[in-house]
């Protein structure tokens, strides 16, 4: 989500994670991903970013977070 929000449009993934990542990307709008990225850029530490990304993922796409 963070990389998508920052503008990355091509990803290199192993086949095993591809279905999960596709579900996640399809469950979000680009505006949501950009909002997540903007919030992450305002956080002070990597731990804060990690915690925020986990919460954002669970809220936006709970089925993708569980899989």
């Amino acid at each position: 989500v963070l990389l998508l929000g920052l503008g990355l449009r091509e990803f290199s993934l192993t086949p095993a994670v591809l279905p999960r990542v596709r579900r996640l990307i399809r469950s979000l709008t680009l505006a949501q991903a950009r909002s997540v990225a903007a919030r992450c850029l305002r956080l002070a530490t990597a731990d804060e970013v990690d915690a925020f990304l986990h919460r954002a993922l669970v809220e936006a796409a709970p089925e993708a977070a569980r899989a």
Side-chain angles (χ1 to χ4, degrees):
V1 175
L2 176 58
L3 295 175
L4 186 65
L6 290 172
L8 190 65
R9 296 297 179 265
E10 293 183 21
F11 300 88
S12 178
L13 306 167
T14 63
V17 299
L18 190 57
R20 181 178 178 193
V21 172
R22 279 186 180 162
R23 280 193 308 272
L24 173 61
I25 289 173
R26 289 176 180 162
S27 71
L28 300 168
T29 66
L30 190 53
Q32 287 172 310
R34 287 181 177 148
S35 176
V36 166
R39 172 74 188 271
C40 286
L41 291 172
R42 291 191 300 270
L43 296 174
T45 68
D47 286 338
E48 289 176 340
V49 172
D50 186 51
F52 172 71
L53 286 174
H54 180 72
R55 287 191 312 271
L57 175 60
V58 170
E59 289 174 12
E63 66 286 346
R66 282 192 310 266

